[in-house]
């Protein structure tokens, strides 16, 4: 177990190192750089641009820049935002908290909606199955930013008294904070809930044909017990994987949904930072997102082993 | 009132434990159903072991499941006729009444022990749940009984093994576990549907001996399904030969062996490799 965890950690570090390098190179391969973005025009004298670049170390060879960045990052110093002059770690963390809240609410919504519709679909079949699959198909085809736009438009049209844009910090108004995140979370959760729903449906249908379910019924167990201990517990493994990946994606933040609802989350911040070529911020956000994906994958594997004793880590 | 109760008791005490009459089963689409059973009738007495033999597709499994009113997931099975069990027609009971019969009065052991246990539950938990469903026992008491049952069916070190998962057991051991599950609530009737088909030959004999021993010790009735005449020979008193959804021959097993009345039975016997026959030849 200890060895497994150590190997995993080594892997994780390797992955993060690779991701950070690729991100670093790609960012600088984009046309334009911070100096141009910050001054906003070509009319600025080249010496001014050069001055900015020299000051930020952008004039050095790419590899050297990366090594410097890496050296600091390894000590926990992710640098200072070119734009705000604030330490990156702090600002990104603040943004991440917002995205995290949003993702958490969206994840809960999708898991609840997806489980209910998926189970109903698989167990009741018939018309329920048909309707759920129809709705799932439609929701899958509609991107979340369309849903978000529709929500904003409809609420604005019919309930103009509700201010649904913006973000209320949790500490200043917990209820307002959560209430304000419900609609954006809904917009994010629909597509994810389809994944959960379709996966649960498929898994339950498959498990239902297994011999051990017949054995369970031959025991005289009640429907609820058969469903819980035999169907759901066995259907969980494939569902956990699919859901885990989707939740990881949610944690990375959604540029579009956060922008539409004017929520200062990580997705929106990434977008802003790419526009202003705020390299240290971009770098930190990408690294954090990668770390989240790796972490969620690890959690999924641990969940696997807990659900199914045949799985060895 | 008292009289009917009396007569019912008398009936169920003296009559057969299970009396199936003119049982029909249609499976699938009502417009083009598979007529799997076409008027099956048989009796099983208390404590009696009855064999069902017949080729694949003759309706043995459908008969067994009909007695328990079970159908594979998604299969629409319509049953007609009567299945009188201890004086009650099971086909007339509603589902909640059947839940109290399944596992408690009638239990079943299936063909494939490799797929019949829930892979994500410990073996002990899979015995606990049926016990707790039908008997008013605490979790601790149920586990004690599960361990005892595991020992009874020949699992070594049952207290420790109860916490193991199915994949930690061999096929023969898993079938023993499934037998432990089946007998856990002292059923009156144990249905075993080809319980040894999926097992090694050496293990087959052990499992059959175990079933017979349990039948003797507990006074259960046994409905033993097999496509192998050789299996029923030493095991059961009565044999029913099934062919295309009907019972074409029924009788004491030695009589049927000695003088098969039905053409199909003769062919079935001829097709069965029998140990004592090859013994005679040697
Ligand atoms: N779920 C089902 N859907 C449709 N037809 C079925 C179903 N189950 C059984 N049948 C049909 O019912 C008939 C009897 O099948 P059954 O399973 O009882 O045979 P069996 O005697 O048990 O054979 P085997 O020795 O192969 O187990 C067969 O013709 C089969 O095709
Ligand atoms: Mg069969």
């Amino acid at each position: 177990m200890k060895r497994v965890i150590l190997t995993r950690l080594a892997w994780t570090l390797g992955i993060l190192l690779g991701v950070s390098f690729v991100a670093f190179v790609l960012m600088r391969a984009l046309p334009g750089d911070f100096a141009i973005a910050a001054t906003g025009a070509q009319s600025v004298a080249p010496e001014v641009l050069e001055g900015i670049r020299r000051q930020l170390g952008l004039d050095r060879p790419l590899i050297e820049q990366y090594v410097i960045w890496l050296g600091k990052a390894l000590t926990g110093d992710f640098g200072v935002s070119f734009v705000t002059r604030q330490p990156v770690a702090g600002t990104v963390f603040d943004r991440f908290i917002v995205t995290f809240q949003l993702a958490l609410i969206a994840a809960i919504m999708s898991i609840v909606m997806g489980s209910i519709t998926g189970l109903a679909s698989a167990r009741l079949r018939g018309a329920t199955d048909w309707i759920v699959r129809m709705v799932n198909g439609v929701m899958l085809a509609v991107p979340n930013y369309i849903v978000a736009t529709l929500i904003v438009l409809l609420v604005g049209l019919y309930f103009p008294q509700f201010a649904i844009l913006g973000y209320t910090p949790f500490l200043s108004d917990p209820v307002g904070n959560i209430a304000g995140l419900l609609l954006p979370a809904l917009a994010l959760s629909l597509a994810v809930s389809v994944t959960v729903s379709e996966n649960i449906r498929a898994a339950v249908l498959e498990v239902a044909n297994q011999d051990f379910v017949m054995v369970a019924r031959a025991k005289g167990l009640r429907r609820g017990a058969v469903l819980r201990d035999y169907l759901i517990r066995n259907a969980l493994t494939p569902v956990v994987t699919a859901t885990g990946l989707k939740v990881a994606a949610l944690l990375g933040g959604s540029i579009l949904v956060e922008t539409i609802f004017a929520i200062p989350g990580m997705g929106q911040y990434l977008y802003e930072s790419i526009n202003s070529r705020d390299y240290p911020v971009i770098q930190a956000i990408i690294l954090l997102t990668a770390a989240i994906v790796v972490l969620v994958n690890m959690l999924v594997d641990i969940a696997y082993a807990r659900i199914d004793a045949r799985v060895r880590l | 009132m008292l009289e009917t109760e009396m007569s019912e008791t008398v009936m169920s005490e003296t009559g057969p434990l299970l009396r199936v009459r003119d049982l029909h089963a249609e499976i699938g689409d009502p417009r083009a159903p598979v007529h799997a059973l076409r008027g099956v009738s048989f009796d099983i007495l208390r404590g009696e072991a009855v064999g069902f033999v017949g080729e694949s597709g003759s309706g043995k499994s459908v008969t067994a499941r009909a007695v328990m009113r079970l159908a594979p997931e998604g299969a629409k099975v319509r049953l007609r006729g009567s299945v009188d069990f201890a004086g009650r027609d099971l086909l007339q009971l509603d589902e909640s009444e059947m839940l109290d019969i399944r596992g408690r009065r009638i239990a079943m052991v299936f063909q494939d022990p490799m797929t019949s246990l829930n892979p994500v539950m410990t073996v002990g938990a899979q015995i606990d749940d049926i016990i707790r469903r039908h008997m008013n026992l605490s979790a601790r008491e149920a586990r004690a009984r599960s361990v005892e049952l595991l020992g009874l069916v020949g699992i070594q070190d049952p207290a420790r093994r109860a916490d193991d998962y199915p994949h930690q057991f061999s096929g023969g051991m898993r079938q023993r576990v499934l037998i432990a599950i089946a007998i856990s609530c002292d059923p009156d009737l144990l249905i075993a549907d080809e319980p040894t088909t999926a097992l090694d030959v050496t293990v087959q004999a052990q499992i059959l001996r175990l079933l017979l021993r349990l039948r003797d010790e507990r006074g259960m009735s046994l409905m033993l399904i097999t496509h192998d005449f050789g299996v029923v020979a030493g095991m059961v008193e009565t044999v029913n030969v099934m062919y295309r959804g009907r019972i074409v021959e029924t009788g004491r097993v030695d009589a049927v062996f000695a003088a098969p009345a039905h053409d199909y039975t003769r062919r079935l016997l001829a097709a069965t490799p029998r140990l004592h026959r090859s013994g005679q030849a040697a």
Side-chain angles (χ1 to χ4, degrees):
Chain A
M1 190 66 192
K2 214 174 196 166
R3 253 196 60 182
V4 174
I5 291 177
L6 286 178
T7 333
R8 276 300 178 92
L9 279 178
W11 259 104
T12 307
L13 284 180
I15 290 172
L16 294 184
L17 205 64
V19 166
S20 75
F21 182 72
V22 171
F24 200 90
V25 173
L26 284 183
M27 269 306 112
R28 282 153 179 82
L30 280 183
D33 67 355
F34 173 72
I36 295 173
T39 50
Q42 273 86 354
S43 58
V44 182
E47 306 84 73
V48 178
L49 294 179
E50 279 313 311
I52 297 177
R53 287 184 187 128
R54 199 169 322 118
Q55 194 195 343
L56 296 172
L58 296 176
D59 57 337
R60 301 189 197 182
L62 200 56
I63 297 296
E64 194 184 327
Q65 289 185 43
Y66 178 71
V67 170
I68 293 173
W69 174 84
L70 186 64
K72 287 189 173 167
L74 286 177
T75 67
D77 175 8
F78 290 92
V80 174
S81 160
F82 292 171
V83 177
T84 64
R85 305 269 155 204
Q86 300 289 315
V88 168
T91 26
V92 169
F93 182 76
D94 290 344
R95 298 297 193 114
F96 175 66
I97 291 300
V98 176
T99 290
F100 181 78
Q101 275 196 305
L102 187 59
L104 193 68
I105 297 174
I108 293 171
M109 281 181 168
S110 352
I111 290 170
V112 170
M113 287 191 296
S115 312
I116 292 174
T117 56
L119 271 181
S121 195
R123 292 314 290 161
L124 303 177
R125 306 305 307 270
T128 314
D129 192 22
W130 199 81
I131 293 171
V132 167
R133 302 215 72 200
M134 278 281 288
V135 174
N136 278 354
V138 171
M139 289 202 304
L140 202 59
V142 182
N144 57 24
Y145 59 88
I146 304 270
V147 179
T149 313
L150 278 177
I151 292 176
V152 171
L153 286 177
L154 291 177
V155 174
L157 208 56
Y158 295 106
F159 305 98
Q161 66 273 30
F162 293 125
I164 58 167
L165 301 185
Y167 173 76
T168 319
F170 186 79
L171 290 179
S172 69
D173 176 8
V175 177
N177 165 271
I178 300 211
L181 289 173
L182 288 181
L183 289 177
L186 181 68
L188 281 175
S189 67
L190 290 186
V192 181
S193 98
V194 173
T195 308
V196 178
S197 173
E198 290 286 317
N199 274 287
I200 288 191
R201 177 182 178 279
V204 169
L205 283 181
E206 159 137 18
V207 174
N209 284 312
Q210 303 278 325
D211 289 342
F212 57 76
V213 175
M214 177 74 94
V215 172
R217 292 197 282 139
K219 286 173 168 182
L221 298 181
R222 296 188 196 288
R223 282 176 73 100
V226 176
L227 188 67
R228 188 186 66 230
D229 295 338
Y230 291 78
L231 286 169
I232 295 183
R233 274 180 69 177
N234 279 284
L236 225 48
T237 346
V239 174
V240 164
T241 327
T243 312
L245 293 178
K246 290 285 172 178
V247 170
L250 285 180
L251 284 169
S254 159
I255 295 178
L256 294 169
V257 171
E258 287 177 4
T259 306
I260 292 168
F261 283 93
I263 292 169
M266 214 164 58
Q268 199 198 40
Y269 197 29
L270 178 64
Y271 176 66
E272 289 166 12
S273 311
I274 291 176
N275 275 341
S276 58
R277 303 288 187 273
D278 194 346
Y279 298 140
V281 174
I282 301 171
Q283 194 69 13
I285 291 182
I286 290 180
L287 201 61
L288 180 58
T289 312
I292 289 167
V293 173
V294 173
L295 185 73
V296 170
N297 266 317
M298 206 139 86
L299 290 178
V300 164
D301 286 347
I302 293 174
Y304 250 50
R306 291 209 57 103
I307 296 168
D308 190 338
R310 285 167 301 179
V311 176
R312 292 262 150 270
L313 280 180
Chain B
M1 187 63 198
L2 197 71
E3 255 170 20
T4 55
E5 253 175 42
M6 280 276 288
S7 63
E8 201 171 281
T9 318
V10 170
M11 210 286 266
S12 55
E13 287 298 323
T14 56
L17 175 69
L18 182 71
R19 165 176 290 178
V20 173
R21 285 297 175 269
D22 197 30
L23 183 62
H24 289 256
E26 288 180 6
I27 306 181
D29 187 351
R31 279 161 302 180
V34 177
H35 210 148
L37 300 183
R38 304 160 179 265
V40 168
S41 302
F42 63 91
D43 290 342
I44 296 181
L45 305 177
R46 281 180 189 279
E48 187 187 27
V50 177
F52 284 73
V53 289
E55 66 190 359
S56 187
S58 55
K60 307 180 299 288
S61 296
V62 173
T63 306
R65 287 198 298 259
V67 169
M68 292 193 93
R69 291 252 312 268
L70 284 172
E73 180 77 16
K76 296 229 175 348
V77 181
R78 288 169 301 283
L79 300 173
R80 251 181 319 118
S82 65
V83 178
D84 287 320
F85 176 77
R88 282 199 291 176
D89 185 356
L90 299 185
L91 298 192
Q92 305 304 323
L93 299 188
D94 56 35
E95 178 63 16
S96 71
E97 291 172 304
M98 272 317 290
L99 283 184
D100 290 334
I101 304 253
R102 289 190 202 119
R104 171 66 192 84
R105 308 290 306 274
I106 308 177
M108 191 152 166
V109 176
F110 294 86
Q111 176 170 342
D112 190 352
M114 302 311 279
T115 55
S116 291
L117 286 165
N118 183 348
V120 301
M121 271 171 94
T122 63
V123 151
Q126 296 185 60
I127 315 179
D128 297 346
D129 69 358
I130 178 173
I131 293 175
R132 297 203 68 192
R133 165 68 183 85
H134 295 293
M135 302 175 138
N136 195 9
L137 294 182
S138 70
R140 185 190 294 267
E141 291 163 336
R143 177 48 64 95
R145 188 177 166 91
S146 299
V147 170
E148 192 186 318
L149 284 159
L150 284 175
L152 190 70
V153 297
I155 304 281
Q156 301 292 317
D157 195 5
R160 195 177 53 79
R161 296 292 272 162
D163 288 325
D164 283 346
Y165 287 87
H167 70 274
Q168 293 163 290
F169 291 80
S170 68
M173 287 296 153
R174 289 191 210 188
Q175 197 60 299
R176 287 174 191 269
V177 171
L178 284 153
I179 291 170
I181 290 173
I183 62 167
S184 62
C185 298
D186 284 321
D188 305 288
L189 171 63
L190 179 64
I191 303 175
D193 188 354
E194 310 212 23
T196 59
T197 308
L199 300 173
D200 290 346
V201 184
T202 47
V203 182
Q204 287 185 358
Q206 296 169 8
I207 294 292
L208 290 173
R209 268 202 301 278
L210 172 64
L211 284 172
L212 270 197
R213 196 193 90 209
L214 291 171
R215 199 262 314 218
D216 291 342
E217 286 172 6
R218 313 195 144 217
M220 297 183 298
S221 305
L222 182 63
M223 176 173 174
L224 180 67
I225 295 172
T226 168
H227 56 256
D228 182 357
F229 239 119
V231 165
V232 293
M235 289 273 302
V236 300
E237 291 90 53
T238 310
V239 64
N240 293 303
V241 181
M242 289 197 75
Y243 180 61
R244 297 206 177 171
R246 291 199 177 84
I247 292 180
V248 292
E249 178 154 7
T250 180
R252 298 199 50 83
V253 72
D254 37 6
V256 173
F257 254 97
H262 198 279
D263 203 36
Y264 173 70
T265 314
R266 244 168 281 161
R267 275 187 280 136
L268 202 63
L269 272 172
T272 309
R274 291 202 347 263
L275 291 175
H276 62 269
R277 203 176 265 174
S278 58
Q280 277 171 352

